[in-house]
Amino acid sequence: MKVLVVGNGGREHALAWKLLQSPQVEQCFCTPGNGGTALLEGCENLPYAVDDFANIAEFVQKNNIDLVVVGPEAPLAKGITDYLQRYNIKVFGPTQAGAQIESSKSWAKKLMAGAGIAIAQGETFNNADAAKAYIAQQGAPIVVKADTLAAGKGVIVAQTIQEAQAAVDELMETGFSSIVVEECLQGEEVSILALTDGKTVRPLLPAQDHKRIGEGDTGLNTGGMGAYAPAPIATPDLLERVQTEILEPTVSALRQQGIDYCGVLYAGLMVTAEGDPKVLEYNCRFGDPETQAVLPLLETSLDELLMACIEGRLEAFPPLQWYEGSAVCVVAASEGYPGNYEKGNVITGIKEAEKLGATVFQAGTQLQGDRLLTDGGRVLGVTSRGKDFNTAIETVYSCMEAINFPGQYYRRDIGHRVR
Ligand code: AMP
Ligand code: GLY
């Protein structure tokens, strides 16, 4: 079969890499892709932007593509699935209505509250003064969020009332007219990426990511500086509760709204000091970089699993098979990220790192002739598997030594919670 992956990050490289491991997948396209998907054997990049639905649909039809897998949230929120489904194209990823679970925090909160799911208590505001009054009444710490998609820049965990109130003004001035203010949950975060066909829901291995730029989980928030799986904090008991108290009620609530949700339900959870899982937020797609740590552990063919979701056959699908051990992904970023950074620097050493035992997923890269150049903030996701976390972490860092580009920055403490 032929597949098309929409997107250009490390997540999309990992999806294409895993799909191509299946004997049934003979060809993969990625649009617009990156240097990694350009170099991946069996994969070819296309020139269409992720929101160029018309050209994507035309290509899929002309080339008899059997499956489209959508990586990022933006095209899902814009309705890529609805558009392609009109041409009877098989798409893995929710419709625009389903993607609201990520694109509208207030909508998602209402859905979850209605289903009795544990979430952070809060309110939605369209007026700065009302939001500030609520903040003053609730006290700090408190969390202020843009209601709509904000590319990772819409959440402020404020330690003081003043900081929270300033965040309200800043978000409103940036153009976010609707704002969620909610209770600040304490505990440890875990990412559960679950696949659903709209009726049955199956979690992948639990993962954790490191959102902050600096070692010791300090400094500015980023898209994610590293990830690992399976996260030991998600014990079998906890996963059972997540399944019955969070994932299944979410799928039922979506169905009650008339939404046949096919895709990833990515639950960002806080495990509280009491050991209770609460939903911080839902995403409507695979996590990045969690996917780079989770997919190398998946033995089951991804194309078969995604097709079972699209065709509503997930209940009858055999239990997912996983490789033994642990996986760790360390992100190599451009100096300055998540602020301004240079592009166009030459990357070397990927082949050497792979010889040493890493799988190198590329994110912000571009192939120019035979030169691989940096083209984004997060450049590479270097991943290793090992019999345990210590082994995987040692391997990944020895592989990192082989890779080089001007301004390369990476955290040396990825996985510190599980060592
Ligand atoms: P997001 O970019 O929307 O995934 O959220 C970014 C991060 O903000 C989350 O991963 C949490 O670390 C933090 N966060 C969001 N909501 C809360 C909350 N209610 N309490 C504490 N931290 C939160
Ligand atoms: N790793 C965080 C995200 O994918 O949103």
Side-chain angles (χ1 to χ4, degrees):
M1 74 193 260
K2 293 191 209 169
V3 300
L4 167 62
V5 176
V6 176
N8 64 350
R11 164 183 52 209
E12 287 75 20
H13 185 179
L15 285 165
W17 168 87
K18 176 64 188 164
L19 286 163
L20 278 164
Q21 282 176 3
S22 164
Q24 279 131 236
V25 176
E26 79 233 29
Q27 204 177 6
C28 180
F29 296 91
C30 196
T31 196
N34 59 32
T37 52
L39 288 165
L40 183 64
E41 204 184 319
C43 187
E44 199 181 306
N45 285 348
L46 303 176
Y48 316 122
V50 298
D51 59 356
D52 186 354
F53 301 166
N55 272 314
I56 292 175
E58 194 184 320
F59 182 88
V60 167
Q61 288 184 299
K62 279 199 177 142
N63 294 277
N64 301 315
I65 304 291
D66 303 283
L67 164 67
V68 177
V69 185
V70 185
E73 63 277 13
L76 292 167
K78 266 187 141 178
I80 188 169
T81 299
D82 312 64
Y83 190 99
L84 298 180
Q85 279 177 347
R86 274 185 241 134
Y87 298 91
N88 292 319
I89 293 168
K90 289 188 170 165
V91 193
F92 182 79
T95 57
Q96 188 168 36
Q100 287 178 95
I101 203 149
E102 176 168 0
S103 67
S104 169
K105 293 194 195 291
S106 55
W107 187 89
K109 275 182 101 70
K110 209 164 138 200
L111 183 94
M112 288 187 277
I117 294 168
I119 54 172
Q121 294 307 310
E123 305 246 353
T124 307
F125 297 93
N126 298 306
N127 168 299
D129 289 339
K132 288 183 193 170
Y134 178 79
I135 289 167
Q137 180 208 336
Q138 296 293 314
I142 194 158
V143 180
V144 179
K145 301 182 173 185
D147 194 4
T148 50
L149 292 184
K153 296 194 176 80
V155 177
I156 298 95
V157 181
Q159 297 306 324
T160 63
I161 292 177
Q162 291 71 20
E163 194 189 336
Q165 292 178 332
V168 170
D169 284 332
E170 239 169 76
L171 287 176
M172 291 258 175
E173 277 159 26
T174 315
F176 295 104
S177 55
S178 175
I179 283 172
V180 172
V181 181
E182 67 182 28
E183 145 194 33
C184 185
L185 297 176
Q186 309 289 343
E188 196 171 323
E189 285 181 51
V190 61
S191 304
I192 308 289
L193 279 55
L195 273 60
T196 179
D197 61 359
K199 302 182 294 267
T200 302
V201 58
R202 296 260 192 106
L204 302 179
L205 287 182
Q208 285 184 301
D209 73 343
H210 293 269
K211 290 221 166 68
R212 304 297 195 93
I213 188 74
E215 282 164 18
D217 298 312
T218 54
L220 293 175
N221 251 321
T222 70
M225 294 302 293
Y228 49 92
I233 186 173
T235 58
D237 281 354
L238 186 92
L239 289 173
E240 181 59 31
R241 289 188 60 191
V242 171
Q243 179 72 14
T244 56
E245 296 172 21
I246 294 172
L247 296 173
E248 286 172 3
T250 301
V251 172
S252 302
L254 287 163
R255 284 183 75 74
Q256 275 165 22
Q257 300 271 324
I259 296 169
D260 197 8
Y261 191 107
C262 168
V264 177
L265 270 175
Y266 160 173
L269 303 177
M270 188 70 92
V271 183
T272 66
E274 295 75 41
D276 296 322
K278 292 192 174 181
V279 181
L280 286 173
E281 37 227 332
Y282 263 121
N283 295 316
C284 65
R285 48 161 176 92
F286 286 99
D288 190 339
E290 289 94 325
T291 302
Q292 291 91 300
V294 170
L295 289 186
L297 292 168
L298 180 66
E299 199 176 338
T300 300
S301 284
L302 186 62
D303 59 309
E304 288 178 23
L305 177 58
L306 303 188
M307 275 300 194
C309 291
I310 292 173
E311 292 170 357
R313 299 183 278 103
L314 193 56
E315 192 181 3
F317 196 80
L320 302 187
Q321 300 294 315
W322 297 97
Y323 295 111
E324 294 277 318
S326 312
V328 175
C329 170
V330 176
V331 170
S334 300
E335 189 182 347
Y337 173 77
N340 296 332
Y341 51 81
E342 277 181 10
K343 289 186 183 179
N345 289 319
V346 175
I347 307 165
T348 56
I350 290 183
K351 282 216 172 78
E352 289 73 8
E354 290 187 327
K355 272 191 208 130
L356 293 168
T359 304
V360 180
F361 297 118
Q362 299 187 24
T365 70
Q366 197 200 353
L367 192 63
Q368 241 180 39
D370 57 1
R371 295 193 323 158
L372 186 67
L373 305 178
T374 65
D375 195 39
R378 291 190 293 173
V379 177
L380 306 170
V382 181
T383 302
S384 289
R385 255 171 35 196
K387 67 177 178 1
D388 52 28
F389 278 118
N390 280 336
T391 320
I393 290 168
E394 265 169 41
T395 311
V396 82
Y397 279 110
S398 66
C399 296
M400 291 301 287
E401 306 260 310
I403 294 174
N404 199 18
F405 57 86
Q408 181 188 22
Y409 166 78
Y410 59 90
R411 279 180 56 171
R412 313 221 168 218
D413 67 341
I414 299 303
H416 65 79
R417 288 189 215 95
V418 293
R419 286 206 77 140

